[in-house]
Amino acid sequence: MKKYGLLKLFYFMFTMSTGAFQFLNLFYADFGLDAREIGILFAVGPMVMIVAQPFWGMVTDYMNSAKVTLGVMIVGAAATILFFPISSQFEHLLWLNILFFFFQSAIPPIADVTAMAMLDSRKEFGKIRLWGSLGYAAGVLVVGRLLDIFGLNLMFILHSVLIVVALFLALKLPVQLAAKKEFHLKEVLALFRNHRFVLFLCFSFMVHLTVHANNSFYSIHMQDLGASISLIGFALLIKSILEVPFFSLSRQLMNAFSYPVLLTAVAFVYGMRWLILGVSTNIDILLWSQILLALSYSIQYFVAVAYVDELTPENYRATGQTIFWAVSLGLGGVVGNMLAGWVLTFMTIEQMYQLATVVALASIVILWLKPKKKTLQGS
């Protein structure tokens, strides 16, 4: 269908812009920043995300128009990013990062809400989202080659142009504007009285502690074992490409299994992935274990989006999605990176991965907790 074609192209272009932005650490190094300053800049994103994502989610639900908020966020991000290459001080980059992530961090969850509103079934989402994985892979490959030729400053122009193209596609999406709904902050807070939603947030937070720890130290671990930078890049590319077939199986998987069962499988596969990294020093094994990461990430993504859509009232679905992202990617990112750095002062990286295995498997217990039954007064 035409509307699905536009949606697929939107995800492709937006994630291609994200892939183009994966070389930011090289720009920071060329800028002359030290490791501490680079670490601070990379910590800004998750910290801003904790506040920005719920804010934009509530604005979207209040205005009842995802297109409007997507437009504001994309224009804000596209404009901000153009100032990066003309900055002259670390402090300038710090404020630009805060402003950029304030606009950019909530684009994916609001886009997911828009997609869910268009789909005939939640189970179709994975087949749409796989175009995001293709776009990311294209961004890493194509833009990486262009930057080799024309220099790192081109990255910011390309990122800006690509997300503006994504905006034009988003504005053409045939989203039916529903009748204006009432929006009450008390009902937003009531989301946290939903037992299943809260347990899901706790589960996601625990899982993402391990994911963010891996994201920060996997490349370093591989390099310490003798892997070249190009081989590490190939490992990262494997994950992105292999997400595609797993996303394409979303309908079949969600027809066959419940959301909690699929999320249980996700945590188990993550655990097995971390266990391999914790006990093996064979580079080939660690390289191809990226297949497990692609499997767990893709299933987690399409199940989480569908599950939040089911658990939250229609009036507050954008808020629900952004709360999920803020807890898992924002709070989970900040705490996961801080804990990983602290843990590595006391143990080896292999032991850190063994600990991550325990945390991932323990998260399964949280997912299946049942609420205590209320007892009758006087009984």
Side-chain angles (χ1 to χ4, degrees):
M1 294 177 66
K2 183 180 179 181
K3 67 175 183 179
Y4 286 3
L6 282 172
L7 195 54
K8 292 173 181 176
L9 193 55
F10 167 80
Y11 272 105
F12 183 88
M13 296 304 296
F14 176 72
T15 53
M16 188 176 182
S17 74
T18 305
F21 212 46
Q22 295 309 296
F23 304 92
L24 187 60
N25 55 347
L26 300 180
F27 170 80
Y28 287 156
D30 280 359
F31 193 87
L33 301 182
D34 59 34
R36 182 189 64 84
E37 291 171 325
I38 293 174
I40 291 172
L41 292 179
F42 277 113
V44 164
M47 293 177 70
V48 173
M49 195 181 295
I50 295 171
V51 176
Q53 290 187 334
F55 168 79
W56 286 112
M58 287 188 284
V59 169
T60 300
D61 284 328
Y62 178 77
M63 297 182 64
N64 196 31
S65 178
K67 282 187 178 181
V68 172
T69 47
L70 274 176
V72 173
M73 289 186 293
I74 288 176
V75 170
T80 303
I81 203 66
L82 294 176
F83 287 92
F84 275 62
I86 61 175
S87 301
S88 59
Q89 298 178 28
F90 166 75
E91 288 75 14
H92 296 165
L93 291 175
L94 179 61
W95 284 108
L96 285 172
N97 266 272
I98 293 171
L99 189 59
F100 173 75
F101 283 107
F102 174 74
F103 287 115
Q104 192 272 346
S105 63
I107 295 174
I110 300 302
D112 292 343
V113 170
T114 306
M116 295 299 286
M118 290 176 55
L119 299 177
D120 297 324
S121 168
R122 295 185 183 105
K123 298 173 183 178
E124 297 286 350
F125 178 71
K127 291 186 177 179
I128 301 298
R129 182 54 182 78
L130 68 83
W131 287 86
S133 297
L134 288 172
Y136 180 86
V140 171
L141 288 172
V142 176
V143 176
R145 182 59 61 88
L146 289 174
L147 297 184
D148 277 337
I149 300 172
F150 298 104
L152 287 169
N153 284 353
L154 180 65
M155 167 176 55
F156 303 100
I157 297 173
L158 290 175
H159 181 82
S160 184
V161 169
L162 289 169
I163 58 173
V164 169
V165 171
L167 172 60
F168 282 119
L169 293 168
L171 295 177
K172 289 181 176 293
L173 292 174
V175 180
Q176 296 296 322
L177 187 63
K180 180 65 179 175
K181 307 181 185 73
E182 293 294 325
F183 181 92
H184 301 288
L185 185 58
K186 287 183 179 179
E187 294 183 11
V188 171
L189 297 176
L191 292 174
F192 294 98
R193 293 198 295 270
N194 181 329
H195 178 80
R196 289 198 298 160
F197 183 62
V198 171
L199 287 180
F200 171 66
L201 291 179
C202 293
F203 163 82
S204 299
F205 173 73
M206 284 189 66
V207 168
H208 277 88
L209 290 179
T210 68
V211 172
H212 287 286
N214 172 72
N215 290 347
S216 296
F217 293 100
Y218 173 73
S219 296
I220 295 172
H221 183 43
M222 290 286 285
Q223 195 169 46
D224 288 344
L225 292 174
S228 64
I229 294 176
S230 60
L231 186 62
I232 295 170
F234 178 65
L236 299 177
L237 188 62
I238 286 175
K239 172 186 173 291
S240 182
I241 292 175
L242 291 181
E243 286 170 8
V244 174
F246 296 133
F247 271 119
S248 69
L249 294 172
S250 59
R251 170 176 279 276
Q252 294 91 320
L253 289 171
M254 287 194 282
N255 279 334
F257 305 101
S258 69
Y259 296 143
V261 168
L262 287 171
L263 291 170
T264 298
V266 164
F268 179 78
V269 174
Y270 270 131
M272 294 305 98
R273 157 73 167 160
W274 310 146
L275 183 60
I276 290 171
L277 285 163
V279 299
S280 176
T281 56
N282 185 298
I283 291 179
D284 289 336
I285 292 175
L286 301 188
L287 174 68
W288 291 105
S289 66
Q290 286 286 86
I291 296 172
L292 296 179
L293 192 58
L295 173 63
S296 50
Y297 171 81
S298 54
I299 295 177
Q300 181 188 22
Y301 195 113
F302 65 71
V303 172
V305 171
Y307 198 31
V308 172
D309 193 70
E310 178 186 278
L311 292 174
T312 51
E314 184 179 355
N315 299 32
Y316 304 99
R317 282 176 177 163
T319 303
Q321 294 289 352
T322 49
I323 288 173
F324 160 68
W325 276 67
V327 169
S328 56
L329 274 72
L331 189 60
V334 172
V335 178
N337 284 315
M338 290 178 62
L339 277 178
W342 178 76
V343 163
L344 287 173
T345 63
F346 298 98
M347 59 179 64
T348 65
I349 196 165
E350 288 85 2
Q351 290 172 325
M352 183 200 76
Y353 276 115
Q354 292 167 20
L355 179 60
T357 301
V358 175
V359 173
L361 297 179
S363 69
I364 296 172
V365 177
I366 292 177
L367 192 64
W368 292 94
L369 289 176
K370 301 293 182 184
K372 292 181 179 180
K373 294 183 179 179
K374 295 181 179 179
T375 58
L376 295 175
Q377 288 184 345
S379 62

